[in-house]
Amino acid sequence: MVLTITCLFLSALPVMAGEWQQTEDEQWQYIQDDGTPAIGWLELDGKRYYLDEMGNRKSDYWLKDGGAWYYLDGDGVMAADTWVDNYYVDETGRFEKKR
């Protein structure tokens, strides 16, 4: 009986899935299935994002990582195979050269 009630209660709880949440100071964080914010590079639906050591998504931002530069657009998506101002980022998102 107790097991049945416990199972019914647990099945009524929403399944926690990773999702974007906005913090009180208007930063965006990706909260993982375990309830913790993601940190570092994150790939979702074929898009790459970078979350700093606090879990905040970087946007409109040039990021230096591992000796290479990457550009994160206004939505925080890493630019790839495009020009950003006078700089070209290749298909991997790395800065290559000036025009």
Side-chain angles (χ1 to χ4, degrees):
M1 177 76 171
V2 172
L3 180 59
T4 303
I5 293 171
T6 303
C7 288
L8 288 173
F9 175 74
L10 291 175
S11 66
L13 294 175
V15 175
M16 185 160 189
E19 65 180 0
W20 289 108
Q21 291 183 3
Q22 194 169 25
T23 65
E24 289 180 10
D25 58 348
E26 300 185 9
Q27 296 291 318
W28 284 98
Q29 296 184 335
Y30 187 81
I31 305 302
Q32 303 173 99
D33 293 343
D34 65 3
T36 61
I39 295 173
W41 286 106
L42 174 70
E43 186 164 343
L44 294 172
D45 300 323
K47 298 176 182 175
R48 293 191 74 200
Y49 303 88
Y50 187 83
L51 301 114
D52 67 17
E53 64 280 350
M54 298 297 292
N56 296 324
R57 182 177 72 193
K58 304 305 275 182
S59 58
D60 286 325
Y61 186 78
W62 280 100
L63 170 74
K64 187 172 186 180
D65 184 45
W69 286 94
Y70 302 87
Y71 182 74
L72 305 163
D73 71 13
D75 293 324
V77 177
M78 181 191 76
D81 192 25
T82 191
W83 289 93
V84 179
D85 299 322
N86 289 329
Y87 302 95
Y88 179 73
V89 291
D90 69 14
E91 63 280 349
T92 68
R94 294 173 65 116
F95 160 73
E96 274 192 6
K97 59 187 174 191
K98 287 188 178 184
R99 268 200 254 212

